[in-house]
Amino acid sequence: MNDSPGWNPPGSAPSDGQDGPAIPGQPAPPEQTGSAPQWSKEQPPAGQWTTPTPGRPRPPAPGRAWGTPPQPGHGAPPAPKPGVIPLRPLGVGEILDASVAILRRYWRTVLAVTVPVAVVTQTALVFVQRYLATKPPTLHTDATPAEQLEALSAYLRASLTELAPTMLLSVGASVFVSALLTIVVSRAILGRPVTLSEAWREASPRLPQLLLLSLALPLGAGALAFVAMLPGLLLGGAGGATLAFLGGTAAFLAVIWLLIRFSLASPALMLERQGIIPALKRSAKLVNGVWWRVFGITLLTQLLIMIFTMVLTIPFTAIAFALDAAPSGSDLSWTYLVVMAVGGIASSALTYPIAAAVTVLLYVDQRIRREALDLELTKAAQAD
């Protein structure tokens, strides 16, 4: 393994269900020789040992009370921890704690990446909401269901068209942030310092491929949903609406499955320096057999981020409404938009690194579990 933050995969990657090398400190399994046990020539004197009574627990080892866990020195040695995580399989709490620890320890580099990106995206959103926002449709009380549906569809189409530039800018910003923070996290695992210029130098060659990967996933999901709903849309009527709903539901479930299956493609592309298709295959191999675990950790992370964002933006929302009385529709004042944008900048700058770190740590955790990456990381840490 080289000393750069990009990690090439170990020689053989037993991700197809094979067990990787043993974790340091764990005893190897005894060999099955098939021969009879060799008893020691020196046996205890007669009358000084007894046969254990069935169902009776064994007495504790000397120096240990009942029910006490083994102390350091009695069991396996602790895993090395050169950086923010111990080099062993990680639990959910350890992944979340490490993501916060990275933000605390490398806050200068992290905020130097996230704050400018958040300022650019929130500024673009302010101008879109001020000048391009579409007013919700106003329907008469005697409007038929068909007229209501048509008005709603027109409103959604206009909203998506007007928000398209902001959405593209957000994708580009997320790619930039994800690329640089992946390098920061990879250094944090080994306890190495990293500056913004170093992270940019490592990440910039991979940005075009990462951008294509980030665009391919949502576009592929949208195409799948469109194909699944197309028969119902062409059929029309009540039956067509039902068919479109069923197709949309099936497509939604399939998209969720695919997004989790390919969720580790980004760190694989950045840290293993692979192409887009190999990175997708790599992610599918690492997630194979642990889809529900990756899904659960990802969902928990997004829920925590959503709660944190809501809590953080409540004061800004209260200030915005206090300075500008209850804005509605497209009549949003500059005061309201600017105050809300400041809250968006604060929340985005703090939540971007958490989400990026969890993804990278999930990738590292799966490689430790399947490929004994902890051995490679230990060698790299000891080489410093």
Side-chain angles (χ1 to χ4, degrees):
M1 176 177 176
N2 52 38
D3 289 338
S4 66
W7 301 325
N8 294 322
S12 60
S15 296
D16 293 321
Q18 302 176 5
D19 294 332
I23 303 300
Q26 291 186 351
E31 297 182 356
Q32 303 296 330
T33 59
S35 60
Q38 301 297 320
W39 301 103
S40 172
K41 295 181 181 181
E42 298 181 358
Q43 297 296 321
Q48 295 188 9
W49 60 281
T50 58
T51 303
T53 304
R56 182 179 179 182
R58 293 177 178 271
R64 284 182 56 192
W66 289 100
T68 57
Q71 301 298 320
H74 292 84
K81 188 179 179 181
V84 294
I85 61 169
L87 300 183
R88 56 167 173 74
L90 303 174
V92 178
E94 290 174 318
I95 292 176
L96 296 175
D97 289 343
S99 64
V100 177
I102 292 171
L103 177 59
R104 291 199 309 263
R105 188 175 301 182
Y106 297 86
W107 64 271
R108 290 184 178 86
T109 303
V110 169
L111 295 183
V113 174
T114 59
V115 171
V117 171
V119 169
V120 172
T121 54
Q122 290 296 322
T123 301
L125 183 60
V126 165
F127 282 97
V128 167
Q129 291 177 330
R130 176 66 179 178
Y131 295 112
L132 300 179
T134 303
K135 291 184 179 181
T138 302
L139 299 176
H140 301 288
T141 56
D142 57 348
T144 63
E147 292 175 344
Q148 295 178 0
L149 181 61
E150 177 61 26
L152 180 60
S153 299
Y155 171 70
L156 292 177
R157 287 194 300 269
S159 299
L160 290 176
T161 302
E162 292 161 0
L163 289 177
T166 305
M167 294 172 63
L168 291 177
L169 180 61
S170 299
V171 171
S174 65
V175 168
F176 178 79
V177 170
S178 175
L180 270 68
L181 292 183
T182 297
I183 304 303
V184 174
V185 176
S186 68
R187 296 288 187 91
I189 291 173
L190 297 176
R192 296 174 177 173
V194 59
T195 62
L196 179 60
S197 60
E198 292 172 342
W200 170 253
R201 189 164 53 250
E202 292 286 343
S204 56
R206 315 298 300 172
L207 282 176
Q209 287 183 311
L210 185 60
L211 178 60
L212 291 177
L213 175 64
S214 301
L215 290 174
L217 292 178
L219 290 178
L224 177 61
F226 176 76
V227 171
M229 298 176 64
L230 183 60
L233 297 176
L234 294 177
L235 181 61
T242 302
L243 183 60
F245 174 77
L246 294 177
T249 302
F252 174 77
L253 297 177
V255 165
I256 294 297
W257 182 81
L258 289 173
L259 290 179
I260 296 300
R261 184 172 178 83
F262 298 135
S263 61
L264 304 184
S266 173
L269 186 147
M270 293 297 301
L271 297 178
E272 297 183 24
R273 295 174 171 83
Q274 299 198 26
I276 296 176
I277 300 301
L280 292 172
K281 293 180 179 179
R282 190 81 167 108
S283 175
K285 180 179 291 187
L286 291 173
V287 177
N288 185 36
V290 291
W291 188 94
W292 284 106
R293 182 175 186 270
V294 177
F295 171 76
I297 295 176
T298 304
L299 180 61
L300 176 62
T301 302
Q302 294 302 319
L303 289 176
L304 293 176
I305 288 176
M306 182 179 65
I307 294 173
F308 175 78
T309 301
M310 292 175 59
V311 172
L312 187 61
T313 54
I314 285 176
F316 293 94
T317 304
I319 295 173
F321 273 90
L323 297 178
D324 187 64
S328 61
S330 60
D331 300 324
L332 299 175
S333 69
W334 284 109
T335 302
Y336 178 85
L337 292 173
V338 169
V339 173
M340 293 302 298
V342 172
I345 292 171
S347 61
S348 298
L350 297 177
T351 56
Y352 274 151
I354 301 297
V358 168
T359 300
V360 178
L361 292 173
L362 270 174
Y363 161 82
V364 173
D365 176 58
Q366 284 305 116
R367 289 198 60 187
I368 288 176
R369 292 172 183 271
R370 292 178 179 265
E371 302 168 4
L373 181 64
D374 52 325
L375 301 180
E376 298 291 328
L377 294 176
T378 302
K379 293 178 183 178
Q382 292 174 348
D384 292 342

